[in-house]
Amino acid sequence: MMADSADSADSADSGTNEVAVIGNTDLTSSESENNLINTMVERGTALLRKMEINVTEAEKRTGKNTVNMQETYTVYLIETRPAEAFPEGGQPSAPDTLWRRYSEFELLRNYLLVTYPFVVIPPLPEKRAEFVWHKLSADNLDPDFVERRRVGLENFLLRVASHRVLSDDEIFICFLTEEKKWKDAVLETGFQDKADSRLKSLSAMFRVKNPDQQFTALKHSSDELNTVISQLLRVRAKVADRLYGVYKVHGNYGRVFSEWSAIEKEMGDGLQSAGHHMDTYATSIDDILEEEEHYADQLKEYLFYTDAVRSVCKKQDLIQYELEMAAQDLANKKQQRDELINGTVRIFSLKGMTSKLFGQDSQEQRETKLAALAQSIEEGEEAVMEKNKECREFCKTAWADIELFKEQKDRDLREALISYAIMQISMCKKGIQVWSNAKECFNKIHTCTPTLI
């Protein structure tokens, strides 16, 4: 599932909707063992029509970090290959491959955040496990966690590659194709200097006098979504702990029945079969909870998406704040001009105090100041017009991307929760079947040895 709708306009133009699927939507037990993620992105962008992108494996390595200390880290193999059809009976071309660390994915995303502030940038999978339950390892080098993160990193690349704006970014393409040069390329953009201005947005939202109501509502809904998903993941972790304990208790029943069957020869077959069913029931929880982690990862993606939405809102706050400051500065200059023209000066202003101490300006001085103010006012009006234009354009482009994101979010979460409900129903049916089989075993024992029951 997990379809990225940001490229829907491009898809309409292309006339086809090619689809890339990660994982498997079938919930049968035989095919769900490796079903870590269930994601789909629309191949409407030019990039995904030309290139297939996969993160195929992860590898643990040991090396020295920036402070010359030994460390163990994980690298991920990115494979890209041309997506064009190859001749019938022919072989697809060999993929181009390169290794990337998680920190390099972080650098890429930080670059995208700064360069495209009007875009809801897809999030990375968690760096360290969150909302864990006791059987789930919190170690970021744990093989199961690394595998889930590998799938999440592939999903991130496909999300970016399917976005109509991000997919055309040269740095992103360089990330996919240039193992050594891309870091130099991203640093040459100077995005880190631009990132400093983003820090202003952290406090700008508290100083904006007339915030945009659409973005204010968006912030509230994003905060609410963050709270709801966080609570859902916490509850799910607690339920997983409890459910794991309940299922594993049945393993004790299986062991008791097996030992009992060795003592009671007449009931031995029935007890042995009942013990087998109890063991089957106890071990099934491992696959069930592994499958649940797949849905938890989908919820976590949208938990992290809320930060990306808030980032867009903060940037809008900053632009609005700069517009208000420019308008306030222009109003002050116009007031100074009116005071000079009318000869009225506020007593408690700096100019009023200066006039009291040193007397009024001469006519020539006033004309010089009026000319300077006129020039300054003209520049101020241009600045306000420019900020107004920037604000309108940002709101227009950002809101268009947000609307597409909302469609994607609603579709993805609906499909994820429906699939989760279907999985739970399937789990309950299997549990009922196990107990029905065990009941038949007990009935056979009752038929064979009525005096013992």
Side-chain angles (χ1 to χ4, degrees):
M1 38 149 301
M2 292 294 186
D4 192 307
S5 59
D7 54 295
S8 57
D10 295 45
S11 298
D13 294 339
S14 66
T16 60
N17 282 325
E18 302 173 69
V19 174
V21 180
I22 312 171
N24 189 347
T25 57
D26 194 343
L27 296 174
T28 60
S29 59
S30 62
E31 297 183 352
S32 64
E33 292 179 358
N34 297 318
N35 186 11
L36 294 177
I37 196 161
N38 187 8
T39 302
M40 198 161 64
V41 294
E42 297 174 11
R43 289 180 172 269
T45 61
L47 179 61
L48 280 181
R49 286 198 296 270
K50 294 187 296 185
M51 179 187 293
E52 292 181 2
I53 303 170
N54 298 285
V55 180
T56 55
E57 63 179 281
E59 182 179 290
K60 189 185 295 185
R61 293 183 181 176
T62 302
K64 292 186 177 180
N65 56 22
T66 53
V67 292
N68 205 34
M69 293 181 63
Q70 200 79 1
E71 66 170 346
T72 301
Y73 58 92
T74 305
V75 289
Y76 301 87
L77 183 65
I78 301 175
E79 288 188 356
T80 56
R81 71 170 79 232
E84 289 84 1
F86 48 90
E88 186 175 352
Q91 295 294 326
S93 59
D96 294 324
T97 61
L98 50 80
W99 295 93
R100 296 281 185 226
R101 294 185 62 172
Y102 184 89
S103 58
E104 293 179 276
F105 283 88
E106 286 183 309
L107 179 60
L108 171 65
R109 188 172 185 274
N110 289 335
Y111 159 77
L112 294 174
L113 274 171
V114 174
T115 309
Y116 303 97
F118 53 88
V119 172
V120 181
I121 304 296
L124 291 170
E126 56 193 346
K127 190 168 186 176
R128 290 176 176 80
E130 299 180 19
F131 305 101
V132 297
W133 50 285
H134 85 278
K135 183 74 168 49
L136 196 66
S137 175
D139 181 8
N140 63 345
L141 295 176
D142 177 75
D144 291 336
F145 174 74
V146 168
E147 174 60 15
R148 292 202 314 276
R149 190 164 67 179
R150 178 198 67 77
V151 176
L153 291 173
E154 181 177 274
N155 189 50
F156 165 75
L157 292 180
L158 289 174
R159 291 283 199 195
V160 175
S162 63
H163 193 280
R164 62 182 183 211
V165 175
L166 303 180
S167 60
D168 291 331
D169 186 85
E170 293 182 0
I171 296 297
F172 173 59
I173 296 173
C174 189
F175 177 87
L176 297 173
T177 57
E178 300 286 344
E179 186 163 10
K180 301 295 183 183
K181 297 179 180 178
W182 96 271
K183 272 192 177 180
D184 293 334
V186 73
L187 294 176
E188 285 173 3
T189 63
F191 86 97
Q192 290 177 315
D193 296 332
K194 299 176 186 176
D196 295 337
S197 66
R198 293 182 66 247
L199 298 176
K200 300 177 186 177
S201 63
L202 297 176
S203 57
M205 59 181 295
F206 299 108
R207 295 175 287 171
V208 173
K209 296 178 181 177
N210 298 303
D212 187 293
Q213 295 304 311
Q214 277 187 315
F215 284 92
T216 300
L218 180 64
K219 275 185 287 189
H220 292 327
S221 63
S222 180
D223 291 342
E224 184 177 356
L225 179 63
N226 183 287
T227 301
V228 169
I229 293 180
S230 296
Q231 291 174 345
L232 188 58
L233 288 168
R234 287 192 190 96
V235 170
R236 184 260 159 188
K238 290 180 180 178
V239 171
D241 262 330
R242 193 170 303 172
L243 198 62
Y244 183 83
V246 170
Y247 269 70
K248 289 304 180 182
V249 163
H250 289 76
N252 297 333
Y253 296 154
R255 185 165 54 255
V256 169
F257 288 144
S258 295
E259 293 173 356
W260 190 4
S261 68
I263 300 172
E264 300 286 351
K265 299 298 182 182
E266 294 182 2
M267 299 187 299
D269 290 343
L271 290 170
Q272 189 72 29
S273 297
H276 171 71
H277 291 308
M278 291 296 101
D279 289 337
T280 300
Y281 188 71
T283 56
S284 67
I285 190 61
D286 296 313
D287 290 338
I288 290 170
L289 293 181
E290 182 181 345
E291 182 72 9
E292 280 195 5
E293 284 305 315
H294 147 62
Y295 295 107
D297 286 341
Q298 292 180 343
L299 290 178
K300 286 177 184 178
E301 181 184 25
Y302 277 92
L303 179 68
F304 305 144
Y305 252 127
T306 58
D307 289 333
V309 172
R310 284 196 288 259
S311 179
V312 175
C313 294
K314 288 175 182 177
K315 180 61 179 179
Q316 195 279 331
D317 280 333
L318 178 59
I319 294 174
Q320 178 68 25
Y321 174 73
E322 290 173 347
L323 171 60
E324 291 179 0
M325 291 299 98
Q328 182 63 46
D329 184 57
L330 177 60
N332 290 338
K333 289 174 181 176
K334 287 183 176 180
Q335 185 173 2
Q336 292 176 29
R337 179 195 61 188
D338 294 341
E339 289 174 353
L340 275 174
I341 293 174
N342 299 326
T344 58
V345 179
R346 289 171 293 170
I347 296 175
F348 296 103
S349 66
L350 176 62
K351 183 173 178 57
M353 295 294 293
T354 304
S355 298
K356 280 285 186 182
L357 293 172
F358 304 106
Q360 295 287 343
D361 295 332
S362 66
Q363 183 65 25
E364 184 179 346
Q365 288 175 322
R366 288 176 60 195
E367 289 177 358
T368 302
K369 289 183 178 181
L370 280 171
L373 276 173
Q375 178 65 28
S376 184
I377 288 171
E378 184 178 346
E379 292 172 355
E381 288 173 342
E382 290 178 0
V384 170
M385 288 176 61
E386 184 178 337
K387 283 295 176 185
N388 255 317
K389 182 181 178 182
E390 181 185 357
C391 193
R392 285 196 303 269
E393 288 180 352
F394 180 88
C395 290
K396 181 180 178 181
T397 53
W399 204 254
D401 192 74
I402 287 165
E403 289 294 343
L404 291 173
F405 166 74
K406 285 180 177 179
E407 293 175 11
Q408 167 195 310
K409 170 182 66 69
D410 292 345
R411 179 171 62 250
D412 287 354
L413 290 180
R414 186 188 306 113
E415 292 183 11
L417 294 173
I418 289 174
S419 298
Y420 179 76
I422 292 172
M423 191 210 73
Q424 294 294 321
I425 293 170
S426 176
M427 176 189 73
C428 293
K429 286 181 177 179
K430 290 175 183 176
I432 291 171
Q433 186 61 51
V434 168
W435 274 101
S436 298
N437 294 338
K439 181 181 177 182
E440 289 181 10
C441 296
F442 295 138
N443 287 336
K444 288 179 182 178
I445 295 173
H446 175 74
T447 304
C448 296
T449 56
T451 57
L452 298 177
I453 305 299

